[in-house]
Amino acid sequence: MHEVAESVVVNRHEVGSEAAPALTQRLTFSAVVSGVRCDLIESQVYLAVLGADDPRKRAVIRTYLTATAAQHDTVLPDFQEFVRTVGPDTGAVS
């Protein structure tokens, strides 16, 4: 059983452009797992994808990385590399 003890948004940034807006935020929280408290960090990225035919239509893609506080900075570069690959399917073959 998991119990969340507390959750705090540490920082939040609007990134991207008007054509491709995004939001990043980092949360810290603790969970109790099998009676042991575990400090966690979650990095979240929300990417807005505008409709090709109608820019008023958009989808939001949420990606997130949750890791222990000790692991987070080590795995963050891999997560950032992954996020750079996320986007709509353009049909182009690479």
Side-chain angles (χ1 to χ4, degrees), residues 64-78:
Y64 57 93
L65 163 71
T66 305
T68 65
Q71 297 170 323
H72 187 269
D73 290 345
T74 302
V75 297
L76 183 61
D78 289 336

Side-chain angles (χ1 to χ4, degrees), residues 1-2 11 14 19 21 23 26 32 37 43 45-46 50 53-54 56 60 67 73 77 91:
M1 179 176 166
H2 302 293
N11 60 46
E14 291 184 19
L23 173 79
R26 182 179 283 196
V32 178
R37 181 184 164 127
S43 291
V45 179
Y46 295 84
L50 304 180
D53 297 330
D54 185 351
R56 294 173 299 169
V60 176
D73 290 345

Side-chain angles (χ1 to χ4, degrees), residues 2 5 12-13 18 25-26 28 30 37 62 65 68 74:
H2 302 293
R12 179 179 295 173
H13 301 282
E18 187 174 321
Q25 62 184 16
R26 182 179 283 196
T28 60
S30 298
R37 181 184 164 127
R62 177 181 176 233
L65 163 71
T68 65
T74 302

Side-chain angles (χ1 to χ4, degrees), residues 2-90:
H2 302 293
E3 294 178 38
V4 175
E6 56 191 67
S7 177
V8 176
V9 175
V10 177
N11 60 46
R12 179 179 295 173
H13 301 282
E14 291 184 19
V15 296
S17 64
E18 187 174 321
L23 173 79
T24 64
Q25 62 184 16
R26 182 179 283 196
L27 293 84
T28 60
F29 56 98
S30 298
V32 178
V33 180
S34 300
V36 177
R37 181 184 164 127
C38 185
D39 293 327
L40 302 169
I41 298 176
E42 184 168 283
S43 291
Q44 301 177 342
V45 179
Y46 295 84
L47 305 168
V49 179
L50 304 180
D53 297 330
D54 185 351
R56 294 173 299 169
K57 295 181 181 177
R58 64 179 62 194
V60 176
I61 301 169
R62 177 181 176 233
T63 59
Y64 57 93
L65 163 71
T66 305
T68 65
Q71 297 170 323
H72 187 269
D73 290 345
T74 302
V75 297
L76 183 61
D78 289 336
F79 174 67
Q80 291 169 326
E81 186 175 324
F82 165 74
V83 169
R84 283 192 284 276
T85 69
V86 175
D89 182 1
T90 61

